[in-house]
Amino acid sequence: MMRALILGGTADASSLAATIARASIDAVYSYGGRTAAPAEQPLPTRIGGFGGVSGLADYLRREGITHVIDATHPFAAEMSRNAIAACAQTATPLLALERAPWDKTSGDRWIEVADVSSAVAALPDSPARVFLAIGRQHIAPFGSRPQHAYTLRFVDPPGQALPLPDAEIIVSRGPFTLDGELEMMRARSIEWIVARNSGGSGARAKIDAARALGLPVIMITRPLLPERPRAESVREVMAWLGHRTCLGA
Ligand code: 3Y8
Ligand code: NAP
């Protein structure tokens, strides 16, 4: 009897959950518990970590999970690595639902860097107006560059003071629109953007806005993950689950 676990937390995971619910496939949706009020899902939902690889392997056995879809974000590398290990240990089929990275197109002024500390080093020395669109978990390293005027965007209000003397916080969970991003960047006179190559459409607007305004983007490339089967569409996932959706998969 099929029972799927969706490792979620992204727009793609939400659209997969809706299709799986419509197909009446027995499934559980899992959030990591990063945000205060994650979006509702049309499936039974669990929130919080499993307790590393062994915790996830125990969960798979205990809950009789027959298929795991890793629909987490490309930067949720620890979750993805744990899923690969736990599924190998328990011989549970695993498929990643992962959107392709954004490609640099003509007009894009990207400075591609490998990680957050390289992103900090790529900022100019002279004071600038910088939009940090990388969430709240990786702000501390920018404390070494207090000379800049920062605009940050978080899903939830920050719990404590930031290590940045000049910072304005926008609380918004996306998805974002081109007009909204253009308006925000003009209103804040943004000169630099720091972003992660998340891919997908939910956060792409800031990249298109930066190109339209001719602004440089410090683009953090994705962490490398071990090989695993991957799909880029919900339809492919449903076919992998052996389910012919109404789309005529
Ligand atoms: C908790 C689930 C939807 C889902 C929305 C997508 C789109 C917006 C791109 C910017 C970049 C960022 C951040 C972002 C994106 C979507 C999608 C996507 C980037 C939610 C969600 C959870 C999270 C966790 C959160 C992180 C943070 C990252 C904000 C829900 C809304 C910056 C990633 O405050 C915190 O601690 C937030 C932590 C991990 C990265 C970070 O390190 O701070 N996502 N984001 C999931 C869980 O608990 O399991 O609350 O409903 C999901 C979404 N995030 O329904 O449309 O691509 O899917 N999320 C990045 O790309 O750099 C925003 O502001 O432009
Ligand atoms: P991470 O660093 O890869 O994972 C850290 C730990 O958090 C994992 O080992 C696991 O704990 C727990 N965890 C993460 N995702 C989980 C999930 N979906 N269900 C259950 N436990 C989960 O993860 P992250 O980058 O903080 O991302 C956390 C969540 O936010 C994920 O759902 C991800 O899809 C979503 N998200 C992340 C980003 C991003 O930029 N990282 C962007 C958008 C959405 P245990 O080891 O205890 O099992």
Side-chain angles (χ1 to χ4, degrees):
M1 187 59 192
M2 175 182 287
R3 186 156 198 241
L5 170 66
I6 300 174
L7 299 174
T10 59
D12 296 339
S14 298
S15 65
L16 173 62
T19 307
I20 281 192
R22 266 199 308 277
S24 306
I25 293 174
D26 184 5
V28 179
Y29 189 98
S30 180
Y31 277 119
R34 280 276 179 282
T35 52
E40 292 284 311
Q41 296 297 337
L43 292 173
T45 299
R46 64 173 298 291
I47 299 184
F50 296 96
V53 174
S54 58
L56 178 53
D58 291 346
Y59 178 88
L60 297 178
R61 291 188 191 99
R62 192 171 64 243
E63 295 294 327
I65 300 295
T66 60
H67 294 75
V68 175
I69 301 102
D70 176 358
T72 60
H73 189 275
F75 281 81
E78 188 181 355
M79 185 70 259
S80 294
R81 287 193 190 101
N82 288 2
I84 293 167
C87 289
Q89 272 179 27
T90 57
T92 310
L94 167 69
L95 179 69
L97 172 56
E98 183 182 75
R99 53 295 192 60
W102 296 315
D103 285 327
K104 187 167 173 291
T105 59
S106 63
D108 280 325
R109 291 178 60 193
W110 288 6
I111 300 164
E112 297 194 73
V113 296
D115 51 32
V116 174
S117 54
S118 312
V120 175
L123 284 173
D125 289 334
S126 53
R129 301 187 60 77
V130 182
F131 175 41
L132 293 185
I134 53 170
R136 128 175 91 169
Q137 297 182 84
H138 309 283
I139 298 302
F142 290 90
S144 68
R145 294 286 193 284
Q147 68 269 38
H148 301 308
Y150 290 101
T151 298
L152 303 107
R153 184 153 63 194
F154 290 169
V155 177
D156 295 316
Q160 72 283 349
L162 295 175
L164 304 172
D166 183 353
E168 161 156 332
I169 294 169
I170 300 170
V171 178
S172 171
R173 71 169 49 227
F176 307 102
T177 64
L178 178 59
D179 289 346
E181 302 291 61
L182 286 169
E183 186 188 336
M184 180 271 294
M185 291 182 188
R186 288 188 178 116
R188 299 281 305 154
S189 308
I190 298 299
E191 296 166 312
W192 289 79
I193 288 102
V194 181
R196 287 168 164 176
N197 198 328
S198 311
S201 53
R204 149 120 237 164
K206 61 182 174 285
I207 307 304
D208 297 334
R211 185 185 323 107
L213 298 173
L215 300 178
V217 176
I218 298 173
M219 182 67 81
I220 303 172
T221 52
R222 294 180 175 187
L224 285 179
L225 287 173
E227 269 307 298
R228 64 207 164 133
R230 65 185 283 279
E232 285 192 21
S233 70
V234 167
R235 199 168 58 75
E236 288 169 87
V237 176
M238 296 307 282
W240 179 72
L241 291 173
H243 189 85
R244 294 280 172 261
T245 54
C246 52
L247 310 177

